[in-house]
Amino acid sequence: MNSILQCLFAIKPLVGYFQSNEYLKHIKKGSGQVARSFGDLVKEATSNGVLSPHMFKRHMQQRATQFEGNDQHDAQEFLRLLVDCLHSDLNLVDTIPKFNYSDKDFDALSHQDRALVSWNRYLRYENSVIFSIFGGQLESTITCQHCYNRSTTFEVFWDLSVPLPQKQNMTVMDCINEFFKEEILDDQYNCSQCKAPRKSTKKLSIYQLPPILVVHFKRFKSGGYIRGGKVSAPIRFPTEDLDVHPVLSNIDGSQLGTKYHLVAVSNHFGSLHGGHYTATTRFNNEWLDKNDSTVGQGRLDYEAAYILFYEQSR
């Protein structure tokens, strides 16, 4: 928990939102305990640096009983739950709208318009400042291997959970490229042009980039050649100018501005069955290691890095 909190405190747009008290206007009456207690933590962290997360932890446990007690939990699981709780507490949508678009109408739209309609449709249900910070959009294209007809859909994403390719001298872009590489579908796809099940491929790309790009390395395995183990191979990543242009959609109209700079890293030391999380965060262009109550001069550890937090460069 502490590692993820310290990483989130390094994200300027998130901290600024809670420091301004703007979030209090977005909490619905009778709800928002997680958002309120997180806001209190942000103010504690930015005023005196001393945190008392007991109330915050209690509210998180009320939302997810798996976090009761003092057992260690996966940092990525906790991060996703926390971001989801904050988004839910601060969702600006009061009533669920109805849409007039039929599937036929939607399919007749251009790729750009489909992406826009899909994005706006999501915002009609799920719209918060939290999503505006972490939310992006993926394009998914399925290609029939018989007639090469393409079917394209769009969906939102909050982070990228990327596999580790089996190679030497891995980089974060190797892992991202592995996530986005074209794959052959195990099940045959019902091609709308062939009117029959066909062998098909699926290719993901990014259509809309998030202001904060979260990259999670799948270091923990439950099977395969490292059954029940952890991949501790070093993964190199830049602190400046991470360029994700190679995995951006090639559809005209997709977002530009593809470079990111690193603001925080959640590290894991140890094994699958026991270990310890720390945070390495950027402060005034210097790096600090934050290990529970200890703060010291930081360095990036390519073998321990587990979750990277990148901010879009302007």
Side-chain angles (χ1 to χ4, degrees):
M1 180 179 74
N2 288 337
S3 170
I4 293 301
L5 288 175
Q6 294 293 351
C7 288
L8 292 180
F9 295 156
I11 297 174
K12 292 180 180 178
L14 182 68
V15 170
Y17 174 54
F18 282 93
Q19 279 183 321
S20 70
N21 287 330
E22 186 71 16
Y23 72 99
L24 294 173
K25 302 176 185 177
H26 299 157
I27 295 176
K28 296 179 179 62
K29 186 176 181 180
S31 64
Q33 290 88 349
V34 171
R36 291 180 189 277
S37 56
F38 182 79
D40 292 339
L41 284 181
V42 168
K43 293 163 189 173
E44 289 178 17
T46 53
S47 60
N48 55 31
V50 179
L51 299 182
S52 300
H54 305 294
M55 187 61 67
F56 169 79
K57 188 172 186 291
R58 181 187 303 173
H59 289 145
M60 286 296 294
Q61 290 171 345
Q62 291 172 352
R63 297 282 280 271
T65 56
Q66 67 265 36
F67 290 104
E68 291 180 352
N70 296 314
D71 293 339
Q72 186 182 92
H73 298 276
D74 181 66
Q76 172 68 355
E77 181 184 5
F78 177 77
L79 172 63
R80 284 185 170 179
L81 176 67
L82 173 54
V83 170
D84 183 68
C85 287
L86 292 175
H87 167 70
S88 178
D89 283 354
L90 300 166
N91 191 358
L92 300 175
V93 177
D94 291 318
T95 58
I96 302 300
K98 294 182 179 180
F99 292 95
N100 296 322
Y101 266 107
S102 66
D103 291 340
K104 184 178 180 180
D105 292 335
F106 182 78
D107 291 341
L109 297 173
S110 68
H111 281 22
Q112 296 95 318
D113 286 342
R114 282 191 220 169
L116 181 61
V117 168
S118 297
W119 183 260
N120 289 338
R121 178 178 292 179
Y122 184 86
L123 291 179
R124 293 286 295 275
Y125 288 96
E126 308 287 346
N127 187 7
S128 71
V129 172
I130 305 302
F131 178 71
S132 73
I133 293 172
F134 293 99
Q137 188 178 36
L138 293 177
E139 173 193 332
S140 174
T141 301
I142 295 179
T143 304
C144 172
Q145 294 303 290
H146 181 76
C147 70
Y148 297 100
N149 179 57
R150 293 184 177 185
S151 174
T152 302
T153 57
F154 299 89
E155 60 185 71
V156 304
F157 73 99
W158 293 76
D159 57 52
L160 298 178
S161 189
V162 298
L164 278 56
Q166 299 301 307
K167 62 174 293 184
Q168 298 292 324
N169 303 317
M170 274 187 293
T171 69
V172 62
M173 278 309 302
D174 290 331
C175 300
I176 291 175
N177 286 330
E178 185 76 7
F179 176 85
F180 283 102
K181 76 177 183 180
E182 190 171 42
E183 61 176 322
I184 299 174
L185 297 178
D186 294 332
D187 298 325
Q188 290 194 332
Y189 175 73
N190 191 24
C191 176
S192 60
Q193 185 160 299
C194 293
K195 308 298 183 184
R198 298 294 190 188
K199 289 184 178 180
S200 302
T201 60
K202 179 179 179 180
K203 180 74 170 67
L204 293 175
S205 58
I206 298 178
Y207 189 85
Q208 186 157 203
L209 292 164
I212 299 296
L213 178 65
V214 179
V215 181
H216 160 240
F217 295 131
K218 290 184 175 180
R219 288 193 179 274
F220 297 110
K221 303 290 184 179
S222 57
Y225 74 100
I226 46 171
R227 186 174 301 278
K230 175 189 173 184
V231 180
S232 296
I235 307 171
R236 301 193 69 84
F237 47 88
T239 59
E240 304 288 343
D241 294 334
L242 172 71
D243 192 349
V244 296
H245 182 267
V247 297
L248 201 66
S249 168
N250 59 9
I251 295 176
D252 290 340
S254 59
Q255 184 176 330
L256 300 178
T258 61
K259 292 186 178 181
Y260 286 82
H261 58 274
L262 189 69
V263 296
V265 183
S266 176
N267 308 293
H268 181 271
F269 298 91
S271 67
L272 174 67
H273 303 292
H276 183 63
Y277 287 101
T278 69
T280 305
T281 64
R282 187 194 290 257
F283 181 73
N284 291 336
N285 290 324
E286 295 184 352
W287 293 97
L288 299 177
D289 278 335
K290 298 181 178 180
N291 185 355
D292 291 334
S293 60
T294 303
V295 179
Q297 191 70 27
R299 70 178 184 85
L300 300 175
D301 191 320
Y302 299 118
E303 294 182 3
Y306 186 48
I307 307 173
L308 308 180
F309 295 79
Y310 277 97
E311 183 175 347
Q312 195 171 31
S313 300
R314 302 296 180 185

